[in-house]
């Protein structure tokens, strides 16, 4: 990793699981402070320069109508923890966990795949404003981010994120306590009635069955769709070896459930649909060896500013009746 000090410092961030090598550009408001490596207690501005992936096992597994907007969420997730440790002097032994995330597409046409443009690497740039939160003894316990995303220099999405940094020992004890509490209440058991059957990949906008992470849903009388998250025999990109549900695994389950709900409620075609927005509140971590239920409720059919079919979806993920995540999405279909 190399650093250039001055009005802006550039760091190479190698080995991204999504876009490969990328460059984090820090635009320092007062250059002298960074020669002293002093931590920041105010707003810091960054640009993350990368490229849309071309052979990712998940994000390139689609019909090719739209690029996957979850690429932007994953790149921010990968760099957020690094920003906290490097520029805000948060101790390295405190892992960063996102507990809130929003992203709204502001220009859907920029996300549309273009065979001519996409013949060359397509720039993906995220402008990031980071501010410390809950500062104790000059060390932030969290960071708040504001995001502006561009594809091929066209501004096309904006969002926010909140990251909390937890003491590793406290975090481990909290996870252990939560698991013991969960298992000690058999009356809260919530499990599928029989073997799980994956939903058809085409309904999720994917082609490979290994990328399907939700089961064939059941429909409740109120029109709700209930699926179970799949954690076995899925692609290694979801990192099930960690023993806990990863953010990518959860976000993909929310995306798939949204497309299935919009398709079954209003006939939107998954192969030409994408998320127009996503808002997620992560309530707690989940264990992969316990069933995870996802309930999706599609709202009324509408249209976005460009006349595309648009469906809001409300989702809740629970484990043994304990909330894991709450989300709101909007599914849009290309003309």
């Amino acid at each position: 990793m190399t650093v250039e000090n001055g009005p802006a410092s550039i760091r190479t961030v190698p080995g991204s699981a999504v876009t490969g090598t990328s460059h984090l550009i820090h635009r320092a408001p007062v250059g002298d402070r960074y020669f002293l490596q002093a931590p920041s207690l105010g707003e810091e501005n960054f640009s993350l320069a990368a490229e849309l992936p071309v052979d990712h096992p998940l994000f390139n597994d689609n019909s090719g109508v739209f690029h996957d907007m979850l690429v932007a969420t994953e790149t921010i997730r990968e760099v957020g923890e690094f920003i906290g440790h490097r520029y805000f002097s948060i101790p390295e032994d405190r892992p960063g966990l996102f507990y809130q995330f929003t992203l709204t597409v502001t220009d859907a046409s920029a996300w549309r795949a273009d065979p001519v443009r996409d013949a060359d690497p397509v720039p993906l740039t995220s402008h990031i404003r980071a501010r410390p939160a809950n500062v104790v003894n000059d060390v932030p316990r969290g960071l708040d981010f504001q995001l502006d995303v561009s594809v091929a220099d066209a501004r096309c999405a904006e969002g926010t994120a909140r990251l909390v940094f937890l003491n590793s020992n406290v975090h481990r004890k909290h996870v252990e306590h939560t698991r013991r509490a969960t298992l000690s209440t058999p009356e809260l058991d919530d499990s599928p009635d029989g073997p799980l059957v994956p939903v058809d990949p085409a309904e999720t906008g994917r082609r490979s069955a290994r990328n399907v992470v939700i089961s064939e849903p059941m429909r409740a009388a109120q029109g709700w769709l209930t699926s179970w998250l799949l954690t076995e025999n899925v692609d290694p990109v979801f990192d099930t070896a960690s023993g806990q549900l990863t953010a990518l695994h959860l976000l993909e389950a929310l995306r798939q459930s949204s497309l299935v709900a919009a398709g079954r409620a209003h006939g939107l075609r998954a192969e030409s649909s994408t998320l127009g927005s996503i808002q997620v509140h992560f309530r707690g971590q989940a264990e992969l060896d316990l069933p995870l239920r996802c309930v999706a409720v599609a709202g009324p059919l509408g249209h976005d500013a460009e006349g595309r079919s648009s469906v809001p979806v409300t989702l809740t993920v629970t484990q043994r009746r304990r909330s894991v995540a709450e989300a709101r999405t909007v599914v849009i279909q290309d003309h």
Side-chain angles (χ1 to χ4, degrees), residues 72-73 76 98 101-103 126-129 145-149 155 157-161:
T73 70
I76 297 301
F98 279 106
F101 194 95
T102 72
L103 191 69
S126 300
H127 298 287
I128 306 167
R129 296 185 297 280
F145 296 96
Q146 289 185 308
L147 317 169
D148 288 297
V149 181
R155 291 186 61 185
E158 60 186 21
T160 62

Side-chain angles (χ1 to χ4, degrees), residues 25-54:
I25 304 167
H26 178 214
R27 306 195 180 281
V30 183
D32 290 345
R33 174 158 56 85
Y34 294 96
F35 288 106
L36 302 176
Q37 301 295 304
S40 174
L41 292 177
E43 180 176 289
E44 300 295 338
N45 290 269
F46 305 86
S47 292
L48 181 64
E51 296 171 349
L52 288 174
V54 295

Side-chain angles (χ1 to χ4, degrees), residues 111-269:
W111 291 96
R112 188 184 295 115
D114 182 335
V116 176
R117 180 194 67 179
D118 299 350
D120 297 318
V122 179
L124 174 68
T125 306
S126 300
H127 298 287
I128 306 167
R129 296 185 297 280
R131 292 188 62 85
N134 192 17
V135 178
V136 178
N137 294 327
D138 292 338
V139 177
R141 300 291 179 88
L143 293 177
D144 290 339
F145 296 96
Q146 289 185 308
L147 317 169
D148 288 297
V149 181
S150 299
V151 171
D153 297 326
R155 291 186 61 185
C156 56
E158 60 186 21
T160 62
R162 289 190 165 185
L163 186 66
V164 61
F165 290 84
L166 301 176
N167 178 283
S168 56
N169 290 330
V170 172
H171 179 236
R172 184 179 65 255
K173 291 178 180 178
H174 173 72
V175 170
E176 293 172 352
H177 171 76
T178 300
R179 180 174 176 82
R180 287 195 301 270
T182 299
L183 294 175
S184 64
T185 51
E187 67 273 15
L188 298 181
D189 184 34
D190 186 27
S191 303
D193 295 330
L196 298 178
V197 177
V199 72
D200 185 347
E203 285 198 78
T204 70
R206 299 300 183 197
R207 292 173 295 180
S208 172
R210 288 174 60 81
N211 284 330
V212 175
V213 293
I214 61 170
S215 70
E216 175 66 29
M218 302 175 292
R219 182 183 293 275
Q222 302 93 331
W224 300 358
L225 290 184
T226 296
S227 298
W228 297 91
L229 271 64
L230 304 179
T231 59
E232 297 181 354
N233 302 318
V234 295
D235 195 278
V237 72
F238 297 111
D239 190 21
T240 55
S242 67
Q244 293 186 331
L245 187 70
T246 62
L248 177 59
H249 201 155
L250 176 58
L251 289 172
E252 177 62 14
L254 294 172
R255 190 198 68 83
Q256 293 184 14
S257 296
S258 298
L259 264 65
V260 171
R264 297 200 178 184
H266 300 291
L268 268 65
R269 303 182 306 274

